[in-house]
Coordinates of all heavy atoms in Angstrom, one line a residue:
G904 N 41.3 -31.2 93.2 CA 41.9 -30.0 93.6 C 41.5 -28.8 92.8 O 42.0 -27.7 93.1
F905 N 40.7 -28.9 91.8 CA 40.3 -27.8 91.0 C 39.7 -26.6 91.8 O 40.0 -25.5 91.6 CB 39.4 -28.2 89.8 CG 39.0 -27.0 88.9 CD1 40.0 -26.4 88.1 CD2 37.8 -26.5 89.0 CE1 39.6 -25.3 87.3 CE2 37.4 -25.4 88.2 CZ 38.3 -24.8 87.3
E906 N 38.7 -27.0 92.6 CA 37.9 -25.9 93.3 C 38.8 -25.1 94.2 O 38.7 -23.9 94.2 CB 36.7 -26.5 94.1 CG 35.6 -27.1 93.2 CD 35.1 -26.0 92.2 OE1 35.0 -24.8 92.5 OE2 34.7 -26.4 91.0
E907 N 39.7 -25.8 95.0 CA 40.6 -25.0 95.9 C 41.5 -24.1 95.0 O 41.8 -23.0 95.4 CB 41.5 -25.9 96.7 CG 40.8 -26.9 97.6 CD 40.7 -28.3 97.0 OE1 39.8 -28.4 96.1 OE2 41.3 -29.2 97.5
T908 N 42.0 -24.6 93.9 CA 42.9 -23.8 93.1 C 42.1 -22.7 92.5 O 42.7 -21.5 92.4 CB 43.5 -24.7 92.0 OG1 44.1 -25.8 92.6 CG2 44.5 -24.0 91.2
K909 N 40.9 -22.9 92.0 CA 40.1 -21.8 91.4 C 40.0 -20.7 92.5 O 40.1 -19.5 92.1 CB 38.7 -22.4 91.1 CG 37.9 -21.4 90.3 CD 36.6 -22.1 89.9 CE 35.6 -21.1 89.4 NZ 34.3 -21.8 89.2
E910 N 39.7 -21.1 93.7 CA 39.5 -20.1 94.8 C 40.8 -19.3 95.0 O 40.8 -18.1 95.1 CB 39.1 -20.9 96.0 CG 38.7 -20.0 97.2 CD 37.5 -19.1 96.9 OE1 36.7 -19.4 96.0 OE2 37.6 -17.9 97.4
L911 N 41.9 -20.1 95.0 CA 43.2 -19.4 95.3 C 43.6 -18.5 94.2 O 44.1 -17.4 94.5 CB 44.3 -20.5 95.5 CG 45.7 -19.9 95.9 CD1 46.2 -20.5 97.2 CD2 46.7 -20.1 94.8
V912 N 43.5 -18.9 93.0 CA 44.0 -18.0 91.9 C 43.1 -16.8 91.6 O 43.5 -16.0 90.8 CB 44.3 -18.8 90.6 CG1 45.3 -19.9 90.8 CG2 43.0 -19.4 90.0
K913 N 41.9 -16.7 92.3 CA 41.0 -15.6 92.1 C 41.7 -14.2 92.2 O 41.5 -13.3 91.5 CB 39.9 -15.6 93.1 CG 38.6 -16.2 92.5 CD 37.5 -16.0 93.5 CE 36.3 -16.9 93.1 NZ 35.5 -17.2 94.2
D914 N 42.6 -14.2 93.2 CA 43.3 -12.9 93.5 C 44.4 -12.6 92.5 O 44.9 -11.5 92.4 CB 44.0 -13.0 94.9 CG 43.0 -13.1 96.0 OD1 41.9 -12.8 95.8 OD2 43.4 -13.6 97.1
F915 N 44.8 -13.6 91.7 CA 45.9 -13.4 90.8 C 45.5 -12.8 89.4 O 45.6 -13.4 88.4 CB 46.7 -14.7 90.6 CG 47.5 -15.1 91.8 CD1 46.8 -15.7 92.9 CD2 48.8 -14.8 91.9 CE1 47.5 -16.1 94.0 CE2 49.5 -15.1 93.1 CZ 48.9 -15.8 94.1
T916 N 45.0 -11.6 89.6 CA 44.6 -10.8 88.4 C 45.8 -10.4 87.6 O 46.9 -10.3 88.1 CB 43.8 -9.5 88.8 OG1 44.8 -8.8 89.6 CG2 42.6 -9.9 89.7
P917 N 45.6 -10.1 86.3 CA 46.8 -9.7 85.5 C 47.5 -8.5 86.1 O 48.7 -8.4 86.1 CB 46.2 -9.3 84.1 CG 45.0 -10.1 84.1 CD 44.4 -10.3 85.4
E918 N 46.8 -7.6 86.7 CA 47.4 -6.4 87.3 C 48.3 -6.8 88.5 O 49.4 -6.3 88.7 CB 46.3 -5.4 87.8 CG 45.4 -4.8 86.8 CD 44.4 -5.8 86.1 OE1 44.1 -6.8 86.7 OE2 44.0 -5.5 85.0
Y919 N 47.7 -7.7 89.4 CA 48.5 -8.1 90.6 C 49.7 -8.9 90.1 O 50.8 -8.7 90.7 CB 47.5 -9.0 91.4 CG 48.2 -9.6 92.7 CD1 48.8 -8.8 93.6 CD2 48.1 -10.9 92.9 CE1 49.4 -9.3 94.7 CE2 48.6 -11.5 94.1 CZ 49.3 -10.7 95.0 OH 49.9 -11.3 96.1
V920 N 49.5 -9.8 89.2 CA 50.7 -10.6 88.7 C 51.7 -9.7 88.0 O 52.9 -9.9 88.3 CB 50.1 -11.7 87.7 CG1 51.3 -12.4 87.0 CG2 49.2 -12.7 88.4
S921 N 51.3 -8.7 87.3 CA 52.3 -7.8 86.7 C 53.1 -7.1 87.7 O 54.3 -6.9 87.6 CB 51.5 -6.8 85.8 OG 52.4 -5.8 85.3
E922 N 52.4 -6.7 88.8 CA 53.1 -5.9 89.9 C 54.2 -6.8 90.5 O 55.3 -6.4 90.7 CB 52.0 -5.7 91.0 CG 52.3 -4.5 91.8 CD 51.1 -4.3 92.7 OE1 50.0 -4.0 92.3 OE2 51.3 -4.6 93.9
I923 N 53.9 -8.1 90.7 CA 54.9 -9.0 91.3 C 56.0 -9.4 90.3 O 57.2 -9.4 90.6 CB 54.2 -10.3 91.8 CG1 53.2 -10.0 92.9 CG2 55.3 -11.3 92.3 CD1 52.4 -11.2 93.4
T924 N 55.6 -9.7 89.1 CA 56.5 -10.3 88.1 C 57.3 -9.3 87.3 O 58.3 -9.6 86.7 CB 55.8 -11.3 87.2 OG1 54.9 -10.5 86.4 CG2 55.1 -12.4 87.9
G925 N 56.7 -8.1 87.2 CA 57.3 -7.1 86.3 C 56.9 -7.3 84.8 O 57.3 -6.6 83.9
C926 N 56.1 -8.3 84.5 CA 55.7 -8.6 83.1 C 54.5 -7.7 82.7 O 53.7 -7.3 83.5 CB 55.2 -10.1 83.0 SG 56.5 -11.3 83.4
D927 N 54.5 -7.4 81.4 CA 53.5 -6.5 80.9 C 52.1 -7.2 81.0 O 51.9 -8.4 80.6 CB 53.8 -6.3 79.4 CG 52.8 -5.5 78.7 OD1 52.9 -4.2 78.9 OD2 52.0 -6.0 78.0
I928 N 51.1 -6.4 81.4 CA 49.7 -7.0 81.6 C 49.2 -7.6 80.3 O 48.6 -8.7 80.3 CB 48.8 -5.9 82.1 CG1 49.2 -5.4 83.5 CG2 47.3 -6.4 82.1 CD1 48.4 -4.3 84.1
Q929 N 49.3 -6.8 79.2 CA 48.7 -7.3 78.0 C 49.4 -8.6 77.5 O 48.7 -9.5 76.9 CB 48.8 -6.2 76.9 CG 47.9 -5.1 77.1 CD 46.4 -5.5 77.5 OE1 45.9 -6.4 76.9 NE2 45.9 -4.8 78.5
K930 N 50.7 -8.7 77.7 CA 51.4 -9.9 77.3 C 50.9 -11.1 78.1 O 50.9 -12.2 77.6 CB 52.9 -9.7 77.5 CG 53.5 -8.8 76.4 CD 55.0 -8.9 76.5 CE 55.7 -8.0 75.5 NZ 57.2 -7.9 75.7
I931 N 50.7 -10.9 79.4 CA 50.2 -12.0 80.3 C 48.9 -12.5 79.7 O 48.6 -13.7 79.6 CB 50.1 -11.5 81.8 CG1 51.4 -11.1 82.3 CG2 49.5 -12.7 82.6 CD1 51.4 -10.4 83.7
I932 N 48.0 -11.5 79.4 CA 46.6 -11.9 79.0 C 46.8 -12.7 77.6 O 46.1 -13.7 77.4 CB 45.8 -10.6 78.8 CG1 45.5 -10.0 80.2 CG2 44.4 -11.0 78.1 CD1 44.9 -8.7 80.2
R933 N 47.6 -12.1 76.7 CA 47.7 -12.7 75.4 C 48.3 -14.1 75.5 O 47.9 -15.1 74.8 CB 48.6 -11.8 74.6 CG 48.8 -12.2 73.2 CD 47.7 -11.9 72.2 NE 47.9 -12.4 70.9 CZ 47.2 -13.4 70.3 NH1 46.1 -13.9 71.0 NH2 47.5 -13.8 69.1
A934 N 49.3 -14.3 76.4 CA 49.9 -15.6 76.6 C 48.9 -16.6 77.0 O 48.8 -17.8 76.5 CB 51.1 -15.5 77.6
A935 N 48.0 -16.3 78.0 CA 47.0 -17.2 78.5 C 46.0 -17.5 77.3 O 45.6 -18.7 77.2 CB 46.3 -16.6 79.7
E936 N 45.7 -16.5 76.5 CA 44.7 -16.7 75.4 C 45.3 -17.7 74.4 O 44.7 -18.6 74.0 CB 44.4 -15.4 74.7 CG 43.3 -14.7 75.4 CD 43.1 -13.3 74.8 OE1 43.8 -12.9 73.8 OE2 42.3 -12.6 75.3
I937 N 46.6 -17.5 74.1 CA 47.2 -18.4 73.0 C 47.3 -19.8 73.6 O 46.9 -20.7 72.9 CB 48.6 -17.8 72.7 CG1 48.5 -16.5 71.9 CG2 49.4 -18.9 71.9 CD1 49.9 -15.8 71.7
Y938 N 47.7 -19.9 74.8 CA 47.8 -21.3 75.4 C 46.4 -21.9 75.5 O 46.2 -23.1 75.1 CB 48.5 -21.3 76.7 CG 48.6 -22.6 77.4 CD1 49.7 -23.5 77.0 CD2 47.6 -23.1 78.2 CE1 49.7 -24.8 77.5 CE2 47.7 -24.4 78.8 CZ 48.8 -25.2 78.4 OH 48.8 -26.5 78.9
G939 N 45.5 -21.1 75.9 CA 44.1 -21.7 76.1 C 43.5 -22.1 74.8 O 42.8 -23.1 74.7
K940 N 43.7 -21.3 73.8 CA 43.0 -21.6 72.5 C 43.7 -22.7 71.7 O 43.1 -23.4 70.9 CB 43.1 -20.3 71.6 CG 41.9 -19.5 71.7 CD 42.0 -18.4 70.6 CE 41.1 -17.3 71.0 NZ 41.5 -16.0 70.5
A941 N 45.0 -22.9 71.9 CA 45.8 -23.9 71.1 C 45.2 -25.3 71.2 O 44.9 -25.8 72.3 CB 47.2 -23.9 71.5
P942 N 44.9 -25.9 70.1 CA 44.4 -27.3 70.2 C 45.3 -28.2 70.9 O 44.9 -29.0 71.7 CB 44.3 -27.7 68.7 CG 44.3 -26.5 67.9 CD 45.0 -25.5 68.7
N943 N 46.6 -28.1 70.7 CA 47.6 -28.8 71.5 C 48.7 -27.9 72.0 O 49.0 -26.9 71.3 CB 48.3 -29.9 70.6 CG 47.3 -31.0 70.2 OD1 46.8 -31.7 71.0 ND2 47.0 -31.1 68.9
A944 N 49.2 -28.2 73.1 CA 50.2 -27.3 73.7 C 51.1 -28.1 74.7 O 50.6 -29.1 75.3 CB 49.6 -26.1 74.4
I945 N 52.4 -27.7 74.7 CA 53.3 -28.4 75.7 C 53.9 -27.3 76.5 O 54.4 -26.3 76.0 CB 54.4 -29.1 74.9 CG1 53.8 -30.2 74.0 CG2 55.4 -29.8 75.9 CD1 54.8 -30.9 73.1
V946 N 53.9 -27.5 77.8 CA 54.5 -26.6 78.8 C 55.9 -27.2 79.1 O 56.0 -28.4 79.5 CB 53.7 -26.4 80.1 CG1 54.5 -25.5 81.1 CG2 52.3 -25.9 79.9
M947 N 56.9 -26.4 78.8 CA 58.3 -26.9 79.1 C 59.0 -26.1 80.1 O 58.9 -24.8 80.1 CB 59.1 -26.9 77.8 CG 58.5 -27.7 76.7 SD 59.4 -27.5 75.1 CE 60.7 -28.8 75.3
F948 N 59.6 -26.7 81.1 CA 60.3 -25.9 82.1 C 61.7 -26.4 82.4 O 62.0 -27.6 82.1 CB 59.5 -25.8 83.4 CG 58.6 -27.0 83.8 CD1 59.2 -28.1 84.3 CD2 57.3 -26.9 83.6 CE1 58.4 -29.2 84.6 CE2 56.5 -28.0 83.9 CZ 57.0 -29.1 84.4
C949 N 62.5 -25.6 83.0 CA 63.9 -25.9 83.2 C 64.4 -25.3 84.5 O 63.6 -24.9 85.3 CB 64.7 -25.4 82.0 SG 66.3 -26.1 81.8
R950 N 65.7 -25.2 84.7 CA 66.2 -24.8 86.0 C 65.8 -23.4 86.5 O 65.8 -23.1 87.6 CB 67.7 -24.9 86.0 CG 68.4 -26.2 85.7 CD 68.0 -27.4 86.5 NE 66.7 -27.9 85.9 CZ 66.6 -28.6 84.8 NH1 67.7 -28.8 84.0 NH2 65.5 -29.0 84.3
G951 N 65.5 -22.5 85.5 CA 65.1 -21.2 85.9 C 63.9 -21.2 86.9 O 63.8 -20.3 87.7
V952 N 63.0 -22.1 86.7 CA 61.9 -22.2 87.6 C 62.1 -23.2 88.8 O 61.5 -23.1 89.8 CB 60.5 -22.5 87.0 CG1 60.3 -21.6 85.8 CG2 60.5 -23.9 86.4
E953 N 63.0 -24.1 88.5 CA 63.2 -25.2 89.5 C 64.2 -24.9 90.6 O 64.1 -25.3 91.7 CB 63.6 -26.5 88.8 CG 62.6 -27.0 87.8 CD 63.1 -27.9 86.8 OE1 64.2 -28.5 87.0 OE2 62.5 -28.1 85.7
Q954 N 65.3 -24.1 90.2 CA 66.3 -23.8 91.2 C 65.9 -22.6 92.1 O 66.5 -21.5 92.1 CB 67.6 -23.5 90.5 CG 68.2 -24.8 89.9 CD 69.5 -24.6 89.2 OE1 69.7 -23.5 88.6 NE2 70.4 -25.5 89.3
Q955 N 64.8 -22.7 92.7 CA 64.3 -21.7 93.6 C 63.9 -22.4 94.9 O 63.6 -23.6 95.0 CB 63.1 -21.0 93.0 CG 63.4 -20.3 91.7 CD 62.2 -19.5 91.2 OE1 61.3 -19.2 91.9 NE2 62.2 -19.3 89.9
S956 N 63.7 -21.5 96.0 CA 63.3 -22.1 97.3 C 61.8 -22.5 97.2 O 61.3 -23.0 98.2 CB 63.6 -21.1 98.4 OG 62.8 -19.9 98.1
K957 N 61.2 -22.3 96.1 CA 59.8 -22.8 95.9 C 59.7 -23.5 94.5 O 58.7 -23.4 93.8 CB 58.8 -21.7 96.0 CG 59.1 -20.5 95.2 CD 58.1 -19.4 95.5 CE 58.4 -18.2 94.7 NZ 59.7 -17.6 94.9
G958 N 60.8 -24.1 94.1 CA 60.9 -24.8 92.8 C 59.8 -25.8 92.6 O 59.2 -26.0 91.5
T959 N 59.6 -26.6 93.7 CA 58.6 -27.6 93.6 C 57.2 -27.0 93.3 O 56.4 -27.5 92.4 CB 58.5 -28.4 94.9 OG1 59.8 -28.9 95.2 CG2 57.5 -29.6 94.8
D960 N 56.9 -26.0 94.0 CA 55.6 -25.3 93.8 C 55.5 -24.7 92.3 O 54.5 -24.8 91.7 CB 55.4 -24.2 94.8 CG 55.0 -24.7 96.2 OD1 54.9 -25.9 96.3 OD2 54.9 -23.9 97.1
N961 N 56.6 -24.2 91.9 CA 56.6 -23.6 90.5 C 56.3 -24.7 89.5 O 55.5 -24.5 88.6 CB 58.0 -23.0 90.2 CG 58.3 -21.8 90.9 OD1 57.4 -21.1 91.4 ND2 59.6 -21.4 91.0
V962 N 56.9 -25.9 89.6 CA 56.7 -27.0 88.7 C 55.2 -27.4 88.8 O 54.5 -27.6 87.7 CB 57.6 -28.2 89.0 CG1 57.2 -29.4 88.3 CG2 59.0 -27.8 88.7
S963 N 54.6 -27.6 89.9 CA 53.2 -28.0 90.1 C 52.3 -26.9 89.5 O 51.3 -27.2 88.9 CB 52.9 -28.3 91.5 OG 53.5 -29.5 91.9
A964 N 52.7 -25.6 89.8 CA 51.8 -24.5 89.3 C 51.8 -24.4 87.8 O 50.7 -24.2 87.2 CB 52.3 -23.2 89.9
Y965 N 52.9 -24.6 87.1 CA 52.9 -24.6 85.7 C 52.2 -25.9 85.1 O 51.6 -25.8 84.1 CB 54.3 -24.5 85.1 CG 54.9 -23.1 85.1 CD1 56.1 -22.8 85.8 CD2 54.3 -22.1 84.4 CE1 56.6 -21.5 85.8 CE2 54.8 -20.8 84.4 CZ 55.9 -20.5 85.1 OH 56.4 -19.2 85.1
T966 N 52.3 -27.0 85.9 CA 51.6 -28.2 85.4 C 50.1 -28.0 85.5 O 49.3 -28.6 84.8 CB 52.1 -29.4 86.3 OG1 53.5 -29.5 86.1 CG2 51.5 -30.7 85.9
N967 N 49.7 -27.2 86.5 CA 48.2 -26.8 86.6 C 47.7 -26.3 85.2 O 46.5 -26.6 84.9 CB 48.0 -25.7 87.6 CG 48.1 -26.2 89.1 OD1 48.1 -27.4 89.3 ND2 48.2 -25.3 90.0
M968 N 48.5 -25.6 84.5 CA 48.0 -25.1 83.2 C 47.6 -26.2 82.3 O 46.5 -26.2 81.7 CB 49.1 -24.3 82.5 CG 49.5 -23.0 83.1 SD 51.0 -22.3 82.4 CE 50.6 -22.2 80.6
A969 N 48.4 -27.3 82.2 CA 48.0 -28.4 81.4 C 46.8 -29.2 82.0 O 45.9 -29.7 81.2 CB 49.2 -29.4 81.3
L970 N 46.7 -29.2 83.3 CA 45.7 -30.0 83.9 C 44.3 -29.3 83.8 O 43.3 -30.0 83.6 CB 46.0 -30.3 85.4 CG 47.2 -31.3 85.6 CD1 47.6 -31.4 87.0 CD2 46.8 -32.7 85.0
V971 N 44.2 -28.0 84.0 CA 42.9 -27.4 83.9 C 42.4 -27.4 82.5 O 41.2 -27.4 82.3 CB 42.9 -26.0 84.5 CG1 43.2 -26.0 86.0 CG2 43.7 -25.0 83.8
T972 N 43.3 -27.4 81.5 CA 42.8 -27.3 80.1 C 42.8 -28.7 79.5 O 42.4 -28.8 78.3 CB 43.8 -26.4 79.3 OG1 45.1 -27.0 79.4 CG2 43.8 -25.0 79.7
G973 N 43.1 -29.7 80.3 CA 43.1 -31.1 79.7 C 44.2 -31.3 78.6 O 44.1 -32.2 77.8
K974 N 45.2 -30.5 78.6 CA 46.2 -30.6 77.5 C 47.4 -31.5 78.1 O 48.5 -31.1 78.1 CB 46.7 -29.2 77.1 CG 45.7 -28.4 76.4 CD 46.2 -27.1 75.8 CE 45.2 -26.5 75.0 NZ 44.6 -25.3 75.4
I975 N 47.0 -32.7 78.4 CA 48.0 -33.7 78.9 C 47.3 -35.0 78.7 O 46.1 -35.1 78.6 CB 48.3 -33.4 80.3 CG1 49.5 -34.2 80.8 CG2 47.1 -33.6 81.3 CD1 50.2 -33.7 82.1
G976 N 48.2 -36.1 78.5 CA 47.6 -37.4 78.3 C 47.1 -37.7 76.9 O 46.2 -38.4 76.7
R977 N 47.7 -36.9 76.0 CA 47.5 -37.2 74.6 C 48.7 -36.7 73.8 O 49.5 -35.9 74.2 CB 46.2 -36.5 74.1 CG 46.3 -35.0 74.3 CD 44.9 -34.3 73.9 NE 45.1 -33.0 73.5 CZ 44.4 -32.0 73.9 NH1 43.4 -32.2 74.8 NH2 44.6 -30.8 73.5
P978 N 48.8 -37.2 72.5 CA 50.0 -36.8 71.7 C 50.0 -35.3 71.5 O 49.0 -34.7 71.5 CB 49.8 -37.5 70.4 CG 49.0 -38.7 70.8 CD 48.1 -38.3 71.9
K979 N 51.2 -34.7 71.4 CA 51.4 -33.3 71.1 C 51.0 -32.4 72.2 O 51.0 -31.1 72.1 CB 50.8 -32.9 69.8 CG 51.1 -33.8 68.6 CD 50.3 -33.3 67.4 CE 50.1 -34.5 66.5 NZ 49.2 -34.1 65.4
S980 N 50.6 -32.9 73.4 CA 50.2 -32.0 74.5 C 50.8 -32.6 75.8 O 50.8 -33.9 75.9 CB 48.7 -31.9 74.7 OG 48.2 -31.1 73.7
G981 N 51.2 -31.8 76.7 CA 51.7 -32.3 78.0 C 52.6 -31.4 78.6 O 52.6 -30.2 78.4
V982 N 53.5 -31.9 79.5 CA 54.5 -31.1 80.2 C 55.9 -31.8 80.0 O 55.9 -33.0 79.9 CB 54.3 -30.9 81.7 CG1 53.0 -30.1 81.9 CG2 54.2 -32.3 82.4
A983 N 56.9 -31.0 79.9 CA 58.2 -31.6 79.6 C 59.3 -30.8 80.3 O 59.3 -29.5 80.2 CB 58.5 -31.6 78.1
T984 N 60.1 -31.4 81.1 CA 61.2 -30.7 81.7 C 62.5 -30.9 80.9 O 62.8 -32.0 80.4 CB 61.4 -31.1 83.2 OG1 62.5 -30.4 83.7 CG2 61.5 -32.6 83.4
L985 N 63.3 -29.8 80.7 CA 64.5 -29.9 79.9 C 65.6 -30.3 80.9 O 66.2 -29.5 81.6 CB 64.8 -28.6 79.3 CG 63.8 -28.3 78.1 CD1 63.2 -26.9 78.2 CD2 64.5 -28.5 76.8
T986 N 65.9 -31.6 81.0 CA 66.8 -32.2 81.9 C 68.3 -31.6 81.7 O 68.7 -31.7 80.5 CB 66.8 -33.7 81.9 OG1 65.5 -34.1 82.0 CG2 67.7 -34.3 83.0
G987 N 68.9 -31.2 82.8 CA 70.3 -30.7 82.6 C 71.3 -31.7 82.4 O 72.0 -31.7 81.4
Q988 N 71.5 -32.6 83.3 CA 72.6 -33.5 83.3 C 72.3 -34.7 82.4 O 71.1 -35.1 82.3 CB 73.0 -34.0 84.7 CG 73.5 -32.9 85.5 CD 74.1 -33.4 86.8 OE1 75.1 -34.1 86.8 NE2 73.5 -33.1 87.9
G989 N 73.3 -35.4 81.9 CA 73.2 -36.4 80.9 C 72.2 -37.5 81.4 O 71.3 -37.9 80.6
N990 N 72.3 -38.0 82.6 CA 71.4 -39.0 83.1 C 70.6 -38.4 84.3 O 70.3 -39.1 85.3 CB 72.2 -40.2 83.5 CG 71.3 -41.4 83.6 OD1 70.2 -41.5 83.1 ND2 71.7 -42.4 84.4
G991 N 70.2 -37.1 84.1 CA 69.4 -36.5 85.2 C 68.1 -37.2 85.5 O 67.6 -37.2 86.6
Q992 N 67.6 -37.9 84.4 CA 66.3 -38.7 84.7 C 66.7 -40.0 85.4 O 66.2 -40.2 86.5 CB 65.6 -38.9 83.3 CG 64.4 -39.7 83.4 CD 63.2 -39.0 84.1 OE1 62.9 -37.9 83.8 NE2 62.7 -39.6 85.2
G993 N 67.5 -40.8 84.7 CA 67.7 -42.2 85.3 C 68.5 -42.0 86.6 O 68.2 -42.8 87.5

Side-chain angles (χ1 to χ4, degrees):
F905 178 71
E906 289 305 327
E907 298 98 288
T908 304
K909 187 177 169 187
E910 189 55 35
L911 181 123
V912 300
K913 258 187 194 155
D914 296 338
F915 288 81
T916 60
E918 294 73 21
Y919 177 53
V920 171
S921 172
E922 207 176 292
I923 297 173
T924 62
C926 299
D927 178 78
I928 293 176
Q929 292 311 318
K930 284 187 182 175
I931 297 170
I932 295 171
R933 184 79 185 115
E936 272 172 5
I937 290 172
Y938 179 83
K940 265 190 202 152
N943 292 297
I945 301 173
V946 179
M947 302 174 84
F948 32 74
C949 195
R950 302 307 82 70
V952 305
E953 296 161 23
Q954 289 180 325
Q955 297 183 25
S956 60
K957 52 186 179 303
T959 304
D960 286 355
N961 290 341
V962 168
S963 288
Y965 280 121
T966 303
N967 284 347
M968 289 170 56
L970 291 172
V971 299
T972 56
K974 290 187 174 109
I975 191 165
R977 61 184 206 228
K979 306 177 207 170
S980 282
V982 296
T984 176
L985 290 131
T986 309
Q988 295 192 64
N990 197 21
Q992 178 69 53

